[in-house]
Amino acid sequence: MASRLQPSRAILNLGDEFYDSVTAAEFPQTILRFRNDRAAAEVGLEGLSNEEWVRHFGRFAPLPGSLEAPLALRYHGHQFRTYNPDIGDGRGFLFAQLKDDRGRLMDLGTKGSGQTPWSRFGDGRLTLKGGVREILATEMLQALGVETSRSFSLIETGEALERGDEPSPTRSAVLVRLSHGHIRIGTFQRLAYLRDAENMARLVDYVLVNLHDDAPGDPVRLLRNVVARAARLAARYMAAGFVHGVLNTDNINVTGESFDYGPWRFTPTWDPGHVAAYFDHAGLYAFGRQPEAIHWDVMQLAVSLRILADAEPLIEAIDAFADLYQTEVTRALLWRLGVMPRGDAEDRALVQALEPALRATDTPIDRFFFDAFGGRLPERYGEPFAAARAALEPYRPRKDRSHAYWSAEPCSMLIDEVETLWSAIDTRDDWAPFHAKLREIREMGDALA
């Protein structure tokens, strides 16, 4: 075991009202398909051999000094605005906690690791395609500057799964993700539903101390922290052109880190109505409605905290979301344009000129930001971009275009390419295009960083 490993068991301080001890499924096979050595190096696990890796992340032998048994976390949540008190970790669990090289408390959580008390009628498994898709989403989002869970490990498990929404039987896998905590807005909602003020106070302190690097004891300060982080997440989604698809309160992490990828898409153009989930008939979580959706979710946290705090300061904290979002989306778009800020008024004027042009012209998002990086918009972007070009003219680049990435083509992750990458795996067991795409994404991330 790597000597830099800093194991933790902080979650146990909350007490067993917050989780259920569970046992991992036993799989017929454990074929290592992906290990994220970049992420492993941040938590002292990069030195594991492949055999050791599979033993921990396919067979779930405990990491020394961390949790002795996996924990299925309890929570509730609004799902498409309908409250559901009968959910929790149904096909995943918290496997381990450890510190990263920045001193942050991190969780290693699973997806597809077997049934738990919250599985209901599910089999607790994950399709291999679902695991591949999550890796592609998280790698792309990280490269585009979005705080996200990291796909840490993917191991094919040798079971044939039946699924109603894709060709079956299909291959199975178990995914391990590295996250800055797995505490959701729905974790707080459950305690409010139970009117459990004592455990709510305990949870507030756990989040403030372990996940916000803050002093304990103040639920209003916790809400302010979450509002700021959520506004940043919403802004980064928009600048990345990303549609999460299922922004339910049980899918919103109180660290402001994006996670839990089921249906997702990158929108090809700046299309506010673009949806990721085929079942989102009303467009509740469409691209352009994501800031509204995340704001609504954070309001549910404020409602939950009413058992500990007065309404007025909670409302004040929630009301800050809109201004915080405007600041963050401006910052995020300038970052993707590769230019240095000039001041609030000028920066917001640039964004106000840019968004209508993108929306009106159906310009491919990734192509536009690739061409405009550094602040010089090519002349072929004609009259609809005249105001944006004029607004962009005074800006200085934050980086030059000397990285090799700028000599190639823009890197995208649209649904057709996702399906092509999966098809190579599914029909020929050819993983080369998938790994080549990951190298391309990381090259882009290095160029943008």
Side-chain angles (χ1 to χ4, degrees):
M1 186 59 60
S3 60
R4 294 190 298 106
L5 178 68
Q6 301 179 68
S8 176
R9 299 176 180 173
I11 193 76
L12 299 181
N13 293 330
L14 285 174
D16 58 13
E17 175 59 28
F18 287 84
Y19 44 72
D20 295 273
S21 181
V22 295
T23 302
E26 294 186 9
F27 301 115
Q29 295 177 287
T30 47
I31 306 168
L32 180 58
R33 295 301 192 182
F34 171 78
R35 57 177 283 173
N36 191 336
D37 283 316
R38 277 193 179 189
E42 296 172 13
V43 291
L45 291 172
E46 73 278 17
L48 292 176
S49 67
N50 282 350
E51 181 181 1
E52 291 170 321
W53 189 279
V54 169
R55 185 163 61 87
H56 289 299
F57 306 125
R59 300 297 183 190
F60 296 104
L63 289 177
S66 190
L67 303 179
E68 295 178 358
L71 304 175
L73 303 182
R74 301 175 182 178
Y75 47 85
H76 289 180
H78 277 91
Q79 299 182 310
F80 286 82
R81 305 277 169 94
T82 299
Y83 194 76
N84 188 349
D86 297 318
I87 53 177
D89 280 340
R91 58 172 173 167
F93 51 61
L94 177 58
F95 168 62
Q97 291 189 299
L98 61 174
K99 296 290 186 69
D100 70 3
D101 55 9
R102 295 158 56 185
R104 300 185 305 163
L105 179 67
M106 306 296 289
D107 289 353
L108 285 169
T110 65
K111 192 173 184 178
S113 50
Q115 291 180 311
T116 78
W118 308 104
S119 298
R120 292 177 290 175
F121 302 108
D123 60 12
R125 271 36 176 198
L126 171 70
T127 65
L128 181 62
K129 183 179 183 180
V132 167
R133 283 171 45 82
E134 181 143 341
I135 294 169
L136 293 171
T138 56
E139 289 283 326
M140 192 71 176
L141 286 172
Q142 184 186 7
L144 291 174
V146 180
E147 288 288 334
T148 176
S149 62
R150 312 279 290 282
S151 297
F152 195 79
S153 170
L154 184 69
I155 292 175
E156 190 169 357
T157 55
E159 295 177 311
L161 303 180
E162 295 290 336
R163 291 292 184 266
D165 56 353
E166 61 183 274
S168 296
T170 189
R171 294 153 73 176
S172 58
V174 62
L175 178 80
V176 176
R177 52 164 73 112
L178 180 69
S179 297
H180 186 32
H182 275 85
I183 304 300
R184 311 150 191 259
I185 289 176
T187 314
F188 288 83
Q189 288 183 285
R190 174 178 171 272
L191 298 174
Y193 181 90
L194 298 173
R195 305 302 301 168
D196 189 347
E198 181 179 353
N199 275 316
M200 180 75 83
R202 186 174 288 117
L203 181 61
V204 166
D205 288 351
Y206 175 87
V207 171
L208 283 169
V209 172
N210 293 290
L211 303 179
H212 291 177
D213 193 25
D214 208 334
D218 188 346
V220 176
R221 189 168 65 249
L222 178 140
L223 180 62
R224 290 195 196 105
N225 292 347
V226 175
V227 167
R229 291 163 185 244
R232 185 176 191 273
L233 175 64
R236 290 279 166 170
Y237 276 169
M238 299 303 289
F242 182 71
V243 189
H244 183 281
V246 192
L247 289 173
N248 298 329
T249 57
D250 56 300
N251 290 338
I252 302 296
N253 191 330
V254 295
T255 63
E257 181 184 79
S258 176
F259 81 126
D260 212 0
Y261 302 97
W264 58 266
R265 296 283 190 278
F266 284 90
T267 180
T269 63
W270 199 275
D271 175 7
H274 192 88
V275 296
Y278 68 87
F279 46 82
D280 187 3
H281 304 295
L284 182 64
Y285 298 143
F287 174 59
R289 296 185 67 184
Q290 290 182 120
E292 168 203 337
I294 292 174
H295 186 202
W296 190 92
D297 289 337
V298 178
M299 285 194 287
Q300 308 319 304
L301 175 60
V303 171
S304 300
L305 291 171
R306 277 289 288 119
I307 67 172
L308 296 181
D310 293 335
E312 186 174 349
L314 295 171
I315 292 169
E316 182 181 345
I318 285 292
D319 286 347
F321 183 93
D323 285 343
L324 288 168
Y325 171 75
Q326 287 301 324
T327 297
E328 291 290 353
V329 79
T330 301
R331 184 177 298 159
L333 288 167
L334 263 60
W335 178 88
R336 197 160 182 201
L337 284 166
V339 296
M340 301 292 293
R342 288 179 57 82
D344 287 348
E346 281 185 87
D347 296 344
R348 293 196 181 196
L350 172 59
V351 170
Q352 288 165 2
L354 179 62
E355 285 186 308
L358 286 172
R359 187 167 59 249
T361 58
D362 288 336
T363 300
I365 290 177
D366 298 315
R367 176 89 255 174
F368 173 82
F369 284 112
F370 182 89
D371 290 342
F373 190 85
R376 295 297 175 262
L377 191 60
E379 289 299 324
R380 69 174 179 274
Y381 289 87
E383 179 58 29
F385 286 90
R389 180 181 285 103
L392 195 55
E393 183 64 30
Y395 281 82
R396 292 187 298 108
R398 66 173 175 84
K399 289 185 72 172
D400 61 32
R401 297 174 64 113
S402 60
H403 193 282
Y405 171 71
W406 303 111
S407 65
E409 286 292 302
C411 178
S412 297
M413 183 52 65
L414 304 181
I415 187 59
D416 288 348
E417 184 173 11
V418 174
E419 293 296 332
T420 299
L421 294 169
W422 167 246
S423 180
I425 295 167
D426 185 39
T427 60
R428 307 187 302 275
D429 205 32
D430 181 1
W431 291 79
F434 169 76
H435 288 292
K437 186 63 182 184
L438 295 185
R439 289 192 295 272
E440 180 188 347
I441 292 169
R442 289 184 174 187
E443 184 178 31
M444 177 183 67
D446 292 342
L448 292 176

